[in-house]
Amino acid sequence: MKNISILIADDEKEIADLIAIHLEKEGYDVIKVLDGQEAVHAIKTKQVDLAILDIMMPHMDGFEVTHHIREQSNIPIIFLSAKTSDFDKVKGLVIGADDYMTKPFTPIELVARVNAQLRRFTKLNQPKENTEDKTYLEYGGLVIIPDQRTVTLYGDHIELTPKEFDILHLLASHPKKVFSVENIFQQVWDEAYYGGANTVMVHIRTLRKKLREDEYKDNWIKTIWGVGYIFNG
C-alpha cells in the first residue's frame, strides 16, 4: 500500500512545521511549501493525496490554488485560515474545498478531519464490484455517471465541485425521498452535524444554478419547507 502524501501550504513556517509533526506521527508523508505558486508546482509534480491550504499566501492565494487543483484533481482540500468570516468560509467551500478550519486551531482536530476526508475519499473511489448495477442515472436531459463523477445536462457537460456532485448523486440515487439538511451533511461530509445547515444550503443553491433550473424550468431539486430536499426526477 502506497504512503499517503499530504501537502501543507502556509506562509507561516511555524504552523506548517507544527501540522507536519502531528501528521507524520500518524504515518503520513508531508510536503511543506510557503506560497501558492509552490503549492501548484507540488500538485503538478508530486503525488499529493490531500491538501491543507492557507488562504492568505504570497504570489497566489489559497482560492487560486484550489482552482488549479480542481482543474486536474478531486483530492480532498482543507482550508486552514485566519479568515473567520462566513463569506470566506462559504466561498472556500463553493469553489471546491471539502472543509474549512479557522486559526487558532487544535492539531488533534485537524488530524481528525484529515483522517475523515481521506476515509471518505478512499471510499468514494473504490471500484464497484457489482457489475449488474446500472452505471449511470438518467432523468430526462440529466445524466449522472458515478464512476466518472461526471454530469451532463441536455448534452452539455456540467462542471461540479466534489461536494456538489456528491449531493446531487445522493439525492438522485433516491428520487422522491426527502433528505434533511442534517442527513445530507452527515452523508456527504461524513462527519457529525454541528450547525452545517448554511454550508448545505449554499451548495444546494449553487448546484441549482449550475443545473440552470431557471433557464430550463426543471425543478430537479425541490425544497420541502421545514423538512429538507427531494430529487424531483
Side-chain angles (χ1 to χ4, degrees), residues 73-93:
S73 174
N74 64 342
I75 63 168
I77 297 173
I78 299 176
F79 274 127
L80 181 63
S81 175
K83 297 172 78 69
T84 61
S85 73
D86 288 340
F87 173 81
D88 290 308
K89 293 178 183 178
V90 169
K91 181 179 178 181
L93 295 169

Side-chain angles (χ1 to χ4, degrees), residues 190-209:
D190 193 28
E191 58 185 86
Y193 176 79
Y194 295 110
N198 190 50
T199 298
V200 173
M201 289 187 288
V202 168
H203 279 75
I204 293 285
R205 185 163 63 244
T206 57
L207 184 54
R208 282 170 162 162
K209 288 181 180 179

Side-chain angles (χ1 to χ4, degrees), residues 93-223:
L93 295 169
V94 167
I95 67 174
D98 298 278
D99 203 349
Y100 193 113
M101 287 186 67
T102 57
K103 300 175 182 177
F105 66 98
T106 60
I108 293 176
E109 181 183 359
L110 177 58
V111 170
R113 295 196 186 200
V114 166
N115 291 337
Q117 289 296 335
L118 288 170
R119 281 197 306 269
R120 178 182 162 278
F121 183 73
T122 301
K123 180 179 177 182
L124 286 174
N125 287 274
Q126 285 178 343
K128 305 295 188 298
E129 295 182 2
N130 188 354
T131 57
E132 295 181 357
D133 288 345
K134 193 174 182 181
T135 57
Y136 65 92
L137 301 172
E138 184 174 7
Y139 299 97
L142 181 66
V143 178
I144 304 167
I145 306 178
D147 288 346
Q148 300 176 14
R149 294 181 67 81
T150 59
V151 176
T152 58
L153 183 63
Y154 298 108
D156 295 331
H157 176 72
I158 305 298
E159 193 69 40
L160 301 181
T161 68
K163 286 292 189 292
E164 289 165 356
F165 180 88
D166 292 342
I167 292 172
L168 178 61
H169 183 235
L170 172 65
L171 299 178
S173 297
H174 305 85
K176 308 303 180 184
K177 177 180 177 179
V178 179
F179 286 86
S180 68
V181 170
E182 180 177 353
N183 191 234
I184 292 172
F185 187 87
Q186 289 174 335
Q187 294 201 47
V188 171
W189 275 262
D190 193 28
E191 58 185 86
Y193 176 79
Y194 295 110
N198 190 50
T199 298
V200 173
M201 289 187 288
V202 168
H203 279 75
I204 293 285
R205 185 163 63 244
T206 57
L207 184 54
R208 282 170 162 162
K209 288 181 180 179
K210 291 182 179 182
L211 293 176
R212 288 137 64 183
E213 291 192 350
D214 290 340
E215 178 182 345
Y216 289 115
K217 307 303 179 185
D218 292 323
N219 189 13
W220 297 112
I221 301 174
K222 185 177 180 182
T223 300

Side-chain angles (χ1 to χ4, degrees), residues 24-69:
E24 288 168 345
K25 285 182 180 178
E26 292 287 307
Y28 297 122
D29 291 337
V30 172
I31 303 166
K32 292 183 291 183
V33 299
L34 300 177
D35 66 57
Q37 287 183 350
E38 290 181 0
V40 171
H41 180 72
I43 290 290
K44 291 180 177 179
T45 60
K46 300 179 180 180
Q47 172 201 313
V48 175
D49 300 291
L50 180 145
I52 300 173
L53 306 178
D54 189 14
I55 292 178
M56 297 179 289
M57 292 187 290
H59 307 305
M60 186 183 297
D61 67 24
F63 295 139
E64 293 177 277
V65 175
T66 298
H67 281 301
H68 282 280
I69 293 175

